[in-house]
Amino acid sequence: MSAPEQLPEIDNGLLRFLTCGSVDDGKSTLIGRLLFDTKTILADTMNAIEKTSAKRGMTAVDLSLLTDGLQAEREQGITIDVAYRYFTTGRRKYIIADAPGHEQYTRNMVTAASTANLAIILIDARKGVLTQTRRHSYLASLVGIPHLLVAVNKMDLVDYDEATFERIKADYLAFAGQLGIKDVRFIPISALAGDMIVDRGERLPWYAGPTLLEILEAAPAAHTEQAEDFRFPVQFVCRPHDSANPELHDYRGFMGRVESGEIAIGDAVTVLPSGASSKVKAISLGSDQLERAIHEQSVTLLLEDEIDISRGDMIVKTVEAPSAIKQIDATVCWLSETPMSPARTYLVRHTTREAKAKIAKIDYRLDVNTLEQQPVTSLAMNDIARITLKLAQPIVADPYRANRATGAFIIIDESTNNTVGAGMIG
Amino acid sequence: MSTLTKQTLSHLDWLEAEAIHIMREVAGQCANPVLLFSGGKDSICMLRLAEKAFRPGRFPFPLMHIDTGHNYKEVTDFRDKRAAELGERLIVRSVEDSMARGTVVLKSADESRNKHQSVTLLEAIEEFGFDACIGGARRDEEKARAKERIMSFRDEFGQWDPKNQRPELWNLYNARSHKGENIRAFPISNWTELDVWQYIAREQLELPSIYFAHVRPVVRKNGLMQPVTDVTPAKPGDKVEDVLVRFRTVGDITCTAPVESDADTVEKILAETATTTITERGATRMDDQTSEASMEQRKKEGYF
């Protein structure tokens, strides 16, 4: 091992992003390049891919092999699922969700996008904006990814031509407007040659903007910069009943994660769906007592009053209480190989609550390439559709556009327990 | 896209919050979970996370270790001590008992027992009726883990079918299972080796002594240092050297190699981890070197 050098000082949190594109766009090469140029790839891994590259008769190391996944996929020569990769720059930790881009993998892209705050949309500079570019952009926008970065790749194959880049940018902006995508940036890159990824390189002097990594380093980590309402789904109730410690006799800690907004000691809260009200007495994280808790923190709340609260309830600020609903209009993505059966009862899991659900109606299926609305009576894997669900018990929800955590749900098939659908309310 | 205004968590705080959330989901969704605790660094982090998730209450699950009988005494002693300090129940089930029952049959007396842990684990799951096992595996450890779910579904034979895993969206985890089936839950999936060491440093977690630099007799073979122990004695012709080493991972003696290092504090280990040039498993695991797909193969057979 080498001598100790300075430790990485990570102060800029964590960014989760998604890469969209097919193998032909150089997506794997881009990820490989990011991992390689940030020195995430260690010697033994590098040796392994050098050997494989040589075995396959390549003259240079194929960085795309770094993201090659399971044996089953290698045999088929395709990637069939979402893989997660990690790297750190010293300033920030990154989680890449790597989803294959082919049409039949809509569900993989929706899955990968659900936890991402930024999407890199890859375009082959020789091919320009394609149907799949539109599809990826639409899905990213549907799942509410706030920041899109369009990377025009393979600039080395078009002689690093500025006019080509500008033309693709104009083409993209023309349809992005129709989709309502607001925050979109463009960058010319060559993942293969390493231009404008981590290092600027010398071959794109006409591009004055930041490198791809600089854009990632500066992107907001929060899903939204807007202030959000406080939402605290209760996961677990702590009642220690420790006979050796009488102080804990009346202890009732409500454990969960602040899904949005923030909460401070003294805030007036309401418990839904019961509607009981109280005030926050204490907020704890392990042995630390906190004055306030922010978005994404897992904490324990203690309330002033003894209220009956259990898993599945939601604690909200009294002034920002959402309503409980028993019917939801939603956009869903069908995930299962078994088609949706409109006559069946499914289970909806929303925050920490489950409710039985029936399909009240399917409005239409959306063609993700043309955005055309098509009438259907059932949904197959990878379909995106507008539906209405009737629930046996109420859920406390917000529109997905306003709140990703309380606007999302999954659909479970109770006979197999599989997750068969993903939905966004509103 | 260029300003950072809203207050957000540091990367360690975020990872901690996510892990606590996952543990509470397992406790909330599963009737009879268990937390696998080996005394290794990842599972030591898991215990601190469980404390933060559930104190002042007791853990809503016991701890369990599947012991190959070939573990370092420093680690098993630490395991017992830590469980006692926490006042939590520790179950130990042994591969040697499975061998006595005849459910584990070694090809030869000196075959590694490591992969046979799967059998003992499945027997213990059946014995106690566990519906979920919480483990400290990380996606960065190995290629076959990069696509692993946070809640990973195993069938009645404990098998992991990479093509039959539940899609995982947002932080809505599906830990449902039918009787006999099992969920493996991985709260620190998104952590890297460096994150683990940073967390150990921040939380000032105590570790078994063999994680720190110490002099140990070893034999150099195939680029790895094989420790000379009662279980793995030197063979005739082996050149035994006393080397200053530490372990990056601890596990079965027959398949865990130390690395040369003079790092005798967490801070020095952190510095080494940040600048190392070899992956954790590449440097230390003899069992993963046999084939590029060996981890995937073991997982399909029920390995954790």
Side-chain angles (χ1 to χ4, degrees), chain A residues 152-172:
Chain A
V152 180
N153 190 26
K154 305 199 181 181
M155 289 301 292
D156 52 315
L157 298 182
V158 295
D159 297 325
Y160 296 96
D161 177 37
E162 183 177 9
T164 303
F165 174 72
E166 290 298 334
R167 181 174 46 77
I168 292 171
K169 186 173 163 182
D171 286 351
Y172 188 94

Side-chain angles (χ1 to χ4, degrees), chain A residues 60-299:
Chain A
V61 172
D62 181 1
L63 287 174
S64 71
L65 293 174
L66 287 168
T67 59
D68 230 13
L70 307 173
Q71 189 179 28
E73 293 173 4
R74 281 199 297 276
E75 283 159 3
Q76 294 169 31
I78 49 156
T79 47
I80 51 176
D81 210 336
V82 184
Y84 296 90
R85 318 278 170 190
Y86 305 86
F87 71 97
T88 178
T89 56
R91 286 192 69 215
R92 193 171 229 190
K93 178 186 165 95
Y94 293 92
I95 303 179
I96 312 176
D98 175 14
H102 196 270
E103 186 162 9
Q104 67 207 68
Y105 300 126
T106 293
R107 67 169 196 155
N108 290 338
M109 192 183 146
V110 169
T111 302
S114 72
T115 52
N117 278 341
L118 181 145
I120 298 178
I121 310 252
L122 273 161
I123 295 180
D124 184 330
R126 296 168 304 172
K127 297 178 184 161
V129 173
L130 298 177
T131 302
Q132 67 165 13
T133 314
R134 280 183 250 272
R135 181 169 68 243
H136 295 152
S137 303
Y138 168 71
L139 290 174
S141 128
L142 177 76
V143 184
I145 293 182
H147 312 292
L148 296 190
L149 174 56
V150 176
V152 180
N153 190 26
K154 305 199 181 181
M155 289 301 292
D156 52 315
L157 298 182
V158 295
D159 297 325
Y160 296 96
D161 177 37
E162 183 177 9
T164 303
F165 174 72
E166 290 298 334
R167 181 174 46 77
I168 292 171
K169 186 173 163 182
D171 286 351
Y172 188 94
L173 284 170
F175 85 85
Q178 298 162 13
L179 291 179
I181 296 167
K182 290 183 198 82
D183 185 0
V184 54
R185 295 178 73 155
F186 298 86
I187 185 170
I189 62 169
S190 167
L192 191 70
D195 297 304
M196 221 46 84
I197 314 283
V198 173
D199 303 315
R200 294 193 70 82
E202 314 255 301
R203 290 167 289 232
L204 290 162
W206 48 265
Y207 172 78
T211 63
L212 189 138
L213 186 65
E214 284 165 350
I215 293 172
L216 296 178
E217 293 276 76
H223 180 65
T224 169
E225 290 300 292
Q226 310 296 315
E228 287 184 296
D229 292 346
F230 172 71
R231 299 288 184 259
F232 189 83
V234 175
Q235 289 185 275
F236 198 79
V237 179
C238 177
R239 300 211 59 187
H241 299 296
D242 186 345
S243 53
N245 189 346
E247 265 181 46
L248 290 178
H249 186 75
D250 295 322
Y251 183 98
R252 283 175 189 226
F254 305 110
M255 298 173 152
R257 191 173 189 186
V258 180
E259 293 289 359
S260 61
E262 57 177 71
I263 192 78
I265 291 175
D267 283 347
V269 293
T270 296
V271 182
L272 296 172
S274 78
S277 289
S278 185
K279 277 189 172 152
V280 176
K281 185 167 75 177
I283 305 170
S284 64
L285 167 54
S287 51
D288 295 337
Q289 297 304 312
L290 311 179
E291 281 298 310
R292 59 192 270 270
I294 64 166
H295 176 50
E296 296 192 314
Q297 253 182 327
S298 285
V299 294

Side-chain angles (χ1 to χ4, degrees), chain B residues 217-222 224-228 232 235 256-258 286:
Chain B
V218 299
V219 173
R220 291 179 199 268
K221 259 183 205 167
N222 308 325
L224 292 175
M225 287 190 292
Q226 302 191 3
V228 177
T232 53
K235 297 203 171 77
T256 316
M286 305 173 200

